[in-house]
Amino acid sequence: MRMNKRMLIFIMSTTLFMANAQTNSNNPLIKKWSGPYGGVPAFNEYKVSDFKPAIEFAIQEKLNEIDTIANSPKAPTFDNTIAALELSGKTISRINAVYGIYRSNLSSPEFNVVDREMSPKFSEFRDKINQNKKLFTRIETLYNSKDSKKLTSEQQRLIWLYYTNFVREGAKLNEIDKEKVTKINQQLATLFTRFSQNLLAEEHSQYVALKTESDFDGLPVEVKNAAIAEAKERKIEALGIIANTRSSIEPFLTFSNRRDLREKAFEIFVKRGDNGNENDNNSTLVSILQLRTEKAKLLGFPTFADWSLSNKMAKDPQKTLDLMLSVWEPAVEKVHQDVAEMQKIVDTEGGNFKIQPWDYRYYAEKVRKAKYDLDQNEVKPYLQLENLREGMFWVAGELFNLSFKQITNVPVYHPDVRVWEVSNKITGKAVGLWYFDPYARTGKRSGAWMNSYRDQQKLDGNVLTIVSNNCNFIKGAENEPILISWDDASTLFHEFGHALHGLCSNVTYPSLAGTAVARDYVEFPSQLLEHWLATPEVLNKFALHYKTNQPLPQSLVDRIEKASSFGEGFATVETISSSLIDMKLHLTTQTIDPHKFEKETLDALHMPSEIVMRHRIPQFAHIFSSDGYAAGYYSYLWADVINADAYEAFTEGKGPYDKEVAKRLYETVFSVGNTIDNEKGYENFRGRAPKSDALMRARNFPIVDKK
């Protein structure tokens, strides 16, 4: 009997897979997670050298499972196709979770070599699934079947999700174009890794050395101590150093009396990835943009922005531009008002200069003190990291009936990491684990983020979710409490909002769980949670002075409330300028010069000269380290409109802790994941679509006369 070529390849790959299975039987990354809570990652066993063989094994295992589903002789059903896909690839999912942790939290030269080699292989692997013709035919049959209407709404949603994702990734293309898309995706994966590694190298190799006592002039004691500790940890011969990360640079720009050093700190921060050296990102990002344009056209879209928004709430790039520009003018006007007040202070002090970007935070702080009698250094002693973490737990208990208990019986990937068991206060049942990695260190990318190590689901038993929050707070002196700024405290609550979105998930299928919603909706729950930081209940219980243990005085709470919208013009202009650049970059199909494009676009927008984009193009990791936020950075503003409108549901009710509104928020937003159209889900919560005027009220923006 003659054997066809496909069958021969399948037998050969299966034989090789079985041989690899025996070889890799002791690889800890391949083993199922064991221990409590349905299994946890064995961080105490993993080595960087385990990744490559484990990934190659797990990819082949998943592809074999896909082949079995795609080549089934039985007619496609939800169970033998969609549910089977949901149950496949457990090994690669576990490895992916650990791989992501190493990439973001434990980067090293050894790991970077593996990452550069594996990134295009991951891309090729995804394309082999998305472009599997037999598999897509089964999915398409279910998508078009009238019988599918008899399924549950969640099952129908999952079929829709698979179908639309496959189509977006080229399932309907001819074989030649599929190969082109695959090649582009692999090239992009390599470039994304290069961009990220270049940026990380710049952040870790550059700093501002503080060589004399006068270099510390104006710095609060905790910022000074952090700089001293950083120099000691890096073994650098200086009294202290300011690291090239946001968590170090921004406090320095706010408080340092040394204008010359503020300029140095500002320059190294905004020039990351843009120094004409081996870590320069300009040519890399140009290649990424060219490949994205090519890919979009192959997939039938005029621009990458159109492709990117095809599965977002906004749908149309013009809608995002209209929203951004509607807020832009009032925000710019607010900046001009604020800068005028800052310039008065410069002039009064005899400074013979115009406010520059490295002056903005410094003089904004002076205006805050003069106008609102509010000094950030007066507030900071009350903002202890550990107390605020307890405050977040308390808020989660009040809103969603969650309780947190620290545990020590699971491995962690670094001594800084701690773990909490999260339970439902009413039933007493565990709902998941929360890992907390709060401190900056070498090998950890800057910023703050949430990860899901394992998604909640009920298809394969009652699987508990595992989520993490990761920050970059500076440890400072040993045995001293970690004091953080108000902005950092807001970020802490923001990222915890993402974690709660995962912990509250109550769905059947993992692909629909937790934060797996449209990119311009995912920031809504996180931004919403920021509001609870400023509630009197949190401030009175958890904003306790690190020396006296006394709560914030009511007079100080009142001043915080009065100044709550101060700085919103700066924050909005800083963020929307990046969002507009992002969208315009991805609406452009011509090859660009990054410097020229940035300057001309910002000039056309009349960008205030005293502010730079939050993320300049050569360091814009959100849009160039993956496709995640590409043509999607507008999501923060889009979600802010929704979040401002949603919070008014509480203020219109009995206040921030209104049990009825919180219950509705849980049932329609936090627990449902992507089981329902996101717009419909919001309307179920609010009773209507969101209104953008809530955002203007929240930010106290002036009304701009458009005549």
Side-chain angles (χ1 to χ4, degrees), residues 217-219 250-259 262 337-353 355 358-378 559 563 566-567:
D217 188 26
L219 299 185
E250 288 190 353
F252 188 76
L253 293 177
T254 302
F255 298 113
S256 174
N257 291 331
R258 290 287 302 274
R259 189 168 188 250
R262 291 204 309 270
Q337 293 174 7
D338 292 344
V339 168
E341 294 189 67
M342 294 180 211
Q343 193 64 51
K344 284 179 187 175
I345 293 177
V346 173
D347 298 342
T348 300
E349 292 177 346
N352 187 25
F353 59 85
I355 294 284
W358 50 89
D359 299 315
Y360 198 108
R361 286 181 173 84
Y362 180 76
Y363 285 97
E365 186 60 19
K366 290 197 171 197
V367 172
R368 190 199 307 269
K369 292 176 189 175
K371 192 171 183 178
Y372 299 102
D373 190 25
L374 184 64
D375 182 343
Q376 284 197 58
N377 288 326
E378 191 180 357
R559 280 181 278 154
F566 180 78

Side-chain angles (χ1 to χ4, degrees), residues 581-609:
I581 287 280
D582 165 40
M583 189 57 67
K584 289 176 181 291
L585 278 171
H586 291 104
L587 284 168
T588 302
T589 56
Q590 304 299 314
T591 301
I592 62 120
D593 174 320
H595 296 106
K596 184 180 178 184
F597 187 93
E598 184 176 303
K599 183 179 186 308
E600 290 180 352
T601 304
L602 295 178
D603 285 349
L605 289 166
H606 305 294
M607 175 80 167
S609 62

Side-chain angles (χ1 to χ4, degrees), residues 123 125-132 136 161-174 177-186 188 295-296 298-301 304 307-308 310-312 627-628:
S123 176
F125 160 60
R126 288 189 292 270
D127 284 334
K128 282 182 178 178
I129 297 171
N130 290 326
Q131 297 178 9
N132 186 310
F136 177 67
L161 184 68
Y162 269 102
Y163 176 79
T164 53
N165 283 348
F166 269 67
V167 171
R168 283 185 85 249
E169 295 298 335
K172 288 191 170 185
L173 296 179
N174 61 48
D177 286 344
K178 281 181 181 178
E179 286 183 20
K180 289 179 181 177
V181 169
T182 296
K183 185 178 179 182
I184 288 171
N185 285 340
Q186 289 178 45
L188 283 171
K295 176 180 173 179
L298 283 168
L299 293 168
F301 293 87
F304 182 83
W307 177 83
S308 178
S310 63
N311 68 343
K312 309 293 194 301
D627 279 339

Side-chain angles (χ1 to χ4, degrees), residues 276-317:
N277 56 18
E278 67 275 12
N279 298 318
D280 193 278
N281 271 329
N282 285 288
S283 63
T284 299
L285 71 89
V286 168
S287 297
I288 289 172
L289 291 169
Q290 291 170 332
L291 289 167
R292 281 174 171 163
T293 297
E294 189 180 342
K295 176 180 173 179
K297 288 180 178 177
L298 283 168
L299 293 168
F301 293 87
T303 69
F304 182 83
D306 290 283
W307 177 83
S308 178
L309 267 74
S310 63
N311 68 343
K312 309 293 194 301
M313 283 181 73
K315 301 290 191 292
D316 177 12

Side-chain angles (χ1 to χ4, degrees), residues 568-579:
E568 287 288 6
F570 171 84
T572 305
V573 166
E574 187 191 45
T575 302
I576 295 184
S577 56
S578 291
S579 305

